Amino acid sequence: MPKMKTKKSAAKRFRVRPGGTVKRGHAFKRHILTKKSTKNKRHLRGTTSVHETNMGHMAQMLPFAGL
């Protein structure tokens, strides 16, 4: 059997919270910001949780996170 490996790109983008949820940043906040409204950019600040329907994919990408 080959070793289980963590997807390093996922490990850099996601953090597992103590309650078992996964913290992620918002998309659409990196470039071409001039055409986006100030309200839209303000709501994209901070972090949010990964939706529960995607937690199976998170468990595959982060096998040692205890998900």
Side-chain angles (χ1 to χ4, degrees):
M1 287 293 292
K3 289 182 180 179
M4 289 173 40
K5 290 188 175 181
T6 298
K7 295 286 185 184
K8 297 309 282 183
S9 60
K12 294 169 187 175
R13 287 172 171 84
F14 303 106
R15 292 288 178 264
V16 180
R17 290 174 169 155
T21 59
V22 180
K23 182 170 75 168
R24 68 170 177 87
H26 285 284
F28 306 108
K29 187 68 180 9
R30 294 289 179 247
H31 60 97
I32 315 176
L33 297 174
T34 53
K35 63 177 71 170
K36 295 171 187 163
S37 67
T38 307
K39 179 181 178 180
N40 187 15
K41 291 184 280 191
R42 184 173 64 246
H43 285 302
L44 291 174
R45 281 185 206 150
T47 57
T48 186
S49 296
V50 172
H51 197 264
E52 58 193 18
T53 56
N54 293 321
M55 290 302 288
H57 296 293
M58 298 303 302
Q60 287 180 346
M61 290 190 290
L62 304 170
F64 300 106
L67 298 175

